Amino acid sequence: MSVETAGDEGSKLYADHKKIYPAAVAGTFRRLKWAILGLGMAIYYFLPFVRWDRGVGQPDQAVLIDLPGRRFYFFFIEIWPQEVYYVTGLLIVAAFVLFLMNALAGRVWCGYLCPQTVWTDLYFAVERLVEGADRRKRQLLDDGPWTLRKVGRKVTKHALWILIAWWTGGAWVLYFADAPTLVKDLATLQAPLVAYMWIAALTFSTYLMAGFAREQVCIYMCPWPRIQAALTDEWAYNVSYRADRGEPRGSLKQNRKLRAAGEPAGDCVDCGQCVAVCPTGTDIRLGPQLSCIQCGLCIDACDTVMAKTGQPTRLIAYDNDINIDRRERGEAEVHKFIRPRTVLYAVLIAAICGLMAWKLGTRATIGLNVLHDRNPQYVLNSDGSIRNGYTVRLLNKIATTQQFRLSIKGVAHGSRLETSSPAGRDDHALLLTVEPDQTREIRVIVTSPAGADDVKSRGVTFVLRDATGQTVTTSDFFKAP
Amino acid sequence: MAQQELDHLSGQTTTGHEWDGLKELNTPLPKWWLYVFYVCIVWAIGYWFVYPSWPLVSDYTKGFFGPSMRSAAIADYEGGNAARLANASGLADAPLDKIKSTPAFLEFAMANGKAAFGDNCAPCHGSGATGGPGFPNLQDDDWMWGGKLEDIYQTIRFGIRSGNDKMRDMTMPNFGKDGILTKEQVADVATYVMSLSDTAVKGTDSGKQLFADNCASCHGEDAKGNIEMGAPNLTDKIWLYGSGVAAVEVQVNQPKHGVMPAWEGRLDPITIKSLAVYIHSLGGGK
């Protein structure tokens, strides 16, 4: 058996890092990426400053995660900790949207939306701005000696990077406190230490990830490329090189000669621009690879070259396995977006969104939790009557003080409902005031008279009603010997 | 390792490891990843110096900054106490009914009282404050020494038969053992007492007379007790030392007397007030 062997280069156990110098490129996908980058960053950096009036004494920040107050505000929605399932629902929807995007057009997330891609893209733009748009110039600068010019450029680049990283971390903390106040406090060094620590940590991680780790994150750290490969199918569109059209590749002159002689010749002029513009250094012509984040920049690069050489564009394009095979067999292309998996993902997304919207639209603005005393379960009073104790928590989810009416159903005839907390009375019910956007915990005692035939263990129902007539109920029990 | 085998499908080198014809490809790890491992190892060694780690003959290495879980826990505990007291400033001087009517005070007192009850009172009165034979139930509405907030506060502070200067220590005579009443008279009066709350028991006139002569001075003409003397109500359903003629006979013959310690000096004033408020709120408070 003959054994192929490799030299020393192939025998290394650890790979050296090769810095990537992506060339500047213009075209449809570059414009799309700039638009998404601009929109995403504008939302991220300025959303904390958007105001939303919620009434007196309430935070007026549109999006606020109030950790000390245990509240999450999103425009007209206010979520309490016990409603965290809305956040869970949101995460499930996000996962299905990711799967749907993948079923339609592969790694859309990786190429256009992932923060790692977006921030790295921005850092590349800064690099090109400071060190030159020409990738060879940047390479020469790195390889060259440390001149004053090189030091100046490097310092400028890293300063700009750190500035962006600092702003990234700074915007993050604004989501957790009143943004204008926090900005003022940060500037006057009055902000809590934890805010500075978060800014420092995120400044560091942004600078490290977007400035240095870059494509290493996608290739070595991120789990999504591995999962994505298992979730895709032959109908999904991926950025692909059309080998059937491009091969055999060769210089424009050589291929023209071959073509004239009736020999096979492809459209690929082997200029290497697709590799030069790639932010992860991938050669798309080798076929689908884990390192390809499918950002479409090679499509732009190739289209530019094709236009210059007077050949049809989209030698590199969004393509799928089905059509690659069909073209090979000389069949017409087919496109199929409605497939079991796309329909299933869409239905699941719609169902979960619908369920959440319905729950959110119909949820009560009052709440009632009842906990029967565990020890003792009941108490025998000196006159022979039976007493049960409950801990009752009342929730007022609106921004004004409310008076609630708490009553109980299903107890023995002549039973009394009482509390040791300040409360008014309305017939057999208790009238309880709860502060705006607060909960109130009270101890409630139910006493059933001695000797009545119907004093026995039984299920009971607590009923809470607000001034508008909105009612919530909670079932519990009354325990007797 | 100068020459290595190439996998001709992938074009990658192999590690030379082979299992049943399957060869492991050599996919080199990036160098920086290796360096991260080294940094982690150095970081781990740092723990040896920063935290207590190595056992010595009769001691152990203490760590550079002397960290200790024990002192951290104590600091947390004291910090928590200070923080809670900050919420309840003024509570020490506030009258009991003010504590009851001020939500911030009440919330503090209930939480503090509940914790202090578990630590100090539960061994006798039970974790649910329901007591047991000989140990009063604090949940019900029967109070030998008074169930008002002030009464409960006084009992906790000075105790019952505790030896404290301000304790209450009334005791019931040994009517049978000391020969004040004969055995038959003890049975007679016990039957009469039981008949007051249990319609199935029939008392006698002589028993009633014996009660008026010997018991009414403390327990009252109507046998409804007297909290000034700690004399229990004998007409209700609640019996500290058991109900029934036999149990009452035992108690008349040679009464058992419980002892409640005085907590003033053992617990701080805020905790004692908290306990009074907490116990009063359990449901039986007057």
Side-chain angles (χ1 to χ4, degrees):
Chain A
M1 192 179 97
S2 73
V3 173
E4 289 177 88
T5 56
D8 280 345
E9 190 55 34
S11 68
K12 283 185 176 170
L13 288 173
Y14 299 100
D16 288 323
H17 179 232
K18 287 200 190 77
K19 192 174 168 187
I20 291 161
Y21 299 88
V25 65
T28 317
F29 291 95
R30 181 65 270 180
R31 280 197 298 278
L32 179 64
K33 277 171 71 72
W34 282 135
I36 291 171
L37 185 149
L39 185 69
M41 296 233 164
I43 292 172
Y44 174 68
Y45 288 124
F46 297 110
L47 190 56
F49 296 97
V50 176
R51 301 290 101 183
W52 188 268
D53 184 32
R54 292 192 183 84
V56 183
Q58 298 292 310
D60 65 346
Q61 187 158 320
V63 179
L64 177 67
I65 302 162
D66 181 4
L67 290 179
R70 308 280 192 274
R71 296 284 183 276
F72 172 56
Y73 300 96
F74 186 85
F75 293 92
F76 59 96
I77 302 171
E78 179 185 334
I79 291 179
W80 287 35
Q82 55 269 56
E83 295 171 323
V84 76
Y85 44 76
Y86 288 115
V87 179
T88 313
L90 217 55
L91 290 173
I92 293 170
V93 169
F96 281 126
V97 169
L98 186 65
F99 298 164
L100 179 61
M101 289 194 300
N102 181 44
L104 292 173
R107 291 168 69 175
V108 174
W109 171 259
C110 302
Y112 305 94
L113 302 170
C114 176
Q116 175 66 24
T117 297
V118 171
W119 260 265
T120 303
D121 213 18
L122 185 64
Y123 270 44
F124 275 138
V126 171
E127 196 166 88
R128 285 196 294 269
L129 185 75
V130 177
E131 295 184 2
D134 187 338
R135 66 193 290 258
R136 269 160 310 211
K137 271 192 189 159
R138 299 205 301 274
Q139 223 160 342
L140 284 173
L141 186 74
D142 275 0
D143 295 342
W146 280 95
T147 60
L148 203 62
R149 182 175 150 274
K150 180 173 174 179
V151 171
R153 301 236 160 151
K154 290 287 173 196
V155 168
T156 311
K157 180 181 84 174
H158 286 279
L160 285 171
W161 277 2
I162 290 171
L163 194 70
I164 294 168
W166 166 79
W167 199 15
T168 306
W172 177 262
V173 299
L174 298 182
Y175 285 88
F176 296 86
D178 184 56
T181 315
L182 184 58
V183 168
K184 209 170 73 194
D185 288 351
L186 286 167
T188 54
L189 299 179
Q190 301 293 310
L193 182 65
V194 65
Y196 293 104
M197 282 163 61
W198 270 102
I199 293 175
L202 287 165
T203 303
F204 175 73
S205 62
T206 308
Y207 178 60
L208 184 75
M209 290 297 150
F212 302 93
R214 295 179 169 180
E215 81 288 346
Q216 301 284 310
V217 173
C218 311
I219 299 172
Y220 294 108
M221 299 184 203
C222 181
W224 175 233
R226 280 88 183 160
I227 301 166
Q228 185 269 343
L231 282 171
T232 196
D233 69 353
E234 68 277 20
W235 290 100
Y237 291 86
N238 292 300
V239 175
S240 313
Y241 167 66
R242 299 201 161 171
D244 58 320
R245 212 191 105 190
E247 298 296 324
R249 68 184 81 155
S251 75
L252 193 59
K253 217 183 268 177
Q254 180 204 315
N255 276 2
R256 275 190 188 139
K257 252 186 243 165
L258 285 171
R259 219 170 271 135
E263 303 272 336
D267 284 355
C268 175
V269 297
D270 206 9
C271 62
Q273 275 305 297
C274 50
V275 186
V277 299
C278 180
T280 70
T282 303
D283 185 350
I284 191 68
R285 294 171 299 177
L286 297 175
Q289 292 151 76
L290 184 140
S291 62
C292 172
I293 60 168
Q294 298 186 10
C295 61
L297 290 183
C298 51
I299 303 180
D300 285 345
C302 192
D303 280 358
T304 310
V305 173
M306 288 295 113
K308 270 186 199 157
T309 59
Q311 301 185 90
T313 56
R314 297 295 147 97
L315 178 57
I316 301 173
Y318 271 97
D319 199 2
N320 60 18
D321 293 351
I322 290 279
N323 286 328
I324 289 171
D325 287 351
R326 289 181 71 93
R327 279 196 304 272
E328 221 164 73
R329 294 198 296 270
E331 292 167 341
E333 289 186 6
V334 286
H335 303 279
K336 201 164 150 190
F337 293 99
I338 297 171
R339 313 195 296 278
R341 67 179 61 201
T342 57
V343 171
L344 181 68
Y345 291 146
V347 166
L348 284 170
I349 291 166
I352 297 165
C353 286
L355 184 69
M356 291 215 299
W358 176 71
K359 280 292 284 180
L360 206 60
T362 59
R363 70 175 176 167
T365 56
I366 63 177
L368 172 66
N369 300 322
V370 178
L371 187 67
H372 191 283
D373 283 359
R374 273 158 45 120
N375 181 13
Q377 298 240 309
Y378 65 86
V379 174
L380 172 70
N381 282 326
S382 56
D383 63 355
S385 60
I386 304 295
R387 204 184 80 212
N388 277 222
Y390 304 84
T391 303
V392 174
R393 188 173 277 277
L394 313 169
L395 286 73
N396 175 11
K397 297 186 192 174
I398 65 171
T400 50
T401 304
Q402 290 212 76
Q403 194 181 53
F404 290 145
R405 185 179 186 279
L406 180 70
S407 55
I408 187 167
K409 284 196 302 200
V411 286
H413 189 71
S415 297
R416 295 193 312 275
L417 177 70
E418 291 161 316
T419 179
S420 51
S421 299
R425 284 208 81 90
D426 170 25
D427 200 10
H428 293 297
L430 298 171
L431 298 177
L432 299 147
T433 306
V434 185
E435 297 293 304
D437 202 42
Q438 292 292 322
T439 65
R440 179 175 170 194
E441 190 179 282
I442 58 168
R443 227 182 101 72
V444 165
I445 282 164
V446 176
T447 311
S448 286
D453 291 339
D454 52 355
V455 178
K456 55 174 194 265
S457 295
R458 52 166 70 218
V460 296
T461 307
F462 283 87
V463 182
L464 188 71
R465 210 176 73 197
D466 70 4
T468 66
Q470 185 181 199
T471 303
V472 288
T473 61
T474 298
S475 296
D476 213 294
F477 63 90
F478 182 90
K479 185 87 177 157
Chain B
M1 288 230 322
Q3 295 280 296
Q4 282 206 323
E5 199 176 319
L6 267 183
D7 173 66
H8 61 94
L9 259 183
S10 64
Q12 263 182 283
T13 56
T14 70
T15 58
H17 303 155
E18 185 181 328
W19 295 270
D20 296 340
L22 295 174
K23 288 171 187 169
E24 186 187 15
L25 295 181
N26 175 27
T27 306
L29 200 63
K31 279 253 173 69
W32 61 263
W33 197 304
L34 182 71
Y35 298 146
V36 169
F37 282 147
Y38 289 156
V39 169
C40 289
I41 291 167
V42 172
W43 185 266
I45 292 169
Y47 272 86
W48 291 351
F49 298 102
V50 175
Y51 287 98
S53 52
W54 288 98
L56 305 174
V57 176
S58 60
D59 203 6
Y60 57 92
T61 57
K62 295 281 196 297
F64 280 165
F65 310 107
S68 139
M69 304 285 272
R70 181 182 291 264
S71 56
I74 290 170
D76 275 358
Y77 172 75
E78 284 171 354
N81 269 352
R84 277 188 288 123
L85 277 179
N87 283 337
S89 67
L91 196 147
D93 303 320
L96 290 166
D97 51 352
K98 175 112 187 282
I99 296 174
K100 197 94 188 174
S101 63
T102 312
F105 284 170
L106 184 63
E107 195 176 333
F108 175 88
M110 288 296 287
N112 191 31
K114 190 175 184 179
F117 187 90
D119 289 345
N120 300 288
C121 316
C124 292
H125 291 287
S127 61
T130 48
F135 300 100
N137 183 342
L138 306 177
Q139 292 270 2
D140 65 29
D141 59 346
D142 188 34
W143 299 88
M144 281 197 293
W145 300 94
K148 291 194 174 70
L149 198 47
E150 289 292 342
D151 297 331
I152 295 170
Y153 181 53
Q154 188 186 353
T155 304
I156 299 170
R157 280 174 82 188
F158 306 123
I160 304 297
R161 306 176 193 100
S162 59
N164 184 287
D165 292 342
K166 295 181 185 166
M167 69 177 176
R168 290 176 292 193
D169 66 343
M170 300 297 279
T171 54
M172 173 166 156
N174 295 332
F175 283 100
K177 186 165 177 272
D178 292 351
I180 303 169
L181 298 176
T182 64
K183 204 172 178 183
E184 291 71 30
Q185 286 174 315
V186 168
D188 204 11
V189 78
T191 308
Y192 170 73
V193 165
M194 209 54 226
S195 74
L196 296 173
S197 59
D198 188 348
T199 47
V201 178
K202 292 278 169 250
T204 59
D205 282 346
S206 58
K208 190 178 181 180
Q209 190 56 49
L210 280 168
F211 185 87
D213 294 343
N214 297 284
C215 315
S217 54
C218 289
H219 289 283
E221 298 283 335
D222 54 3
K224 287 196 187 290
N226 182 353
I227 57 171
E228 296 299 318
M229 309 194 146
N233 182 347
L234 303 176
T235 64
D236 64 19
K237 303 268 187 200
I238 290 165
W239 297 90
L240 186 57
Y241 295 100
S243 71
V245 175
V248 175
E249 262 185 58
V250 169
Q251 196 62 5
V252 174
N253 184 51
Q254 187 184 3
K256 281 180 263 187
H257 294 102
V259 173
M260 158 101 175
W263 293 94
E264 191 156 85
R266 299 173 68 168
L267 295 175
D268 64 85
I270 291 178
T271 300
I272 293 179
K273 281 187 176 177
S274 299
L275 275 171
V277 170
Y278 172 71
I279 290 164
H280 184 256
S281 79
L282 287 174
K286 301 273 182 182

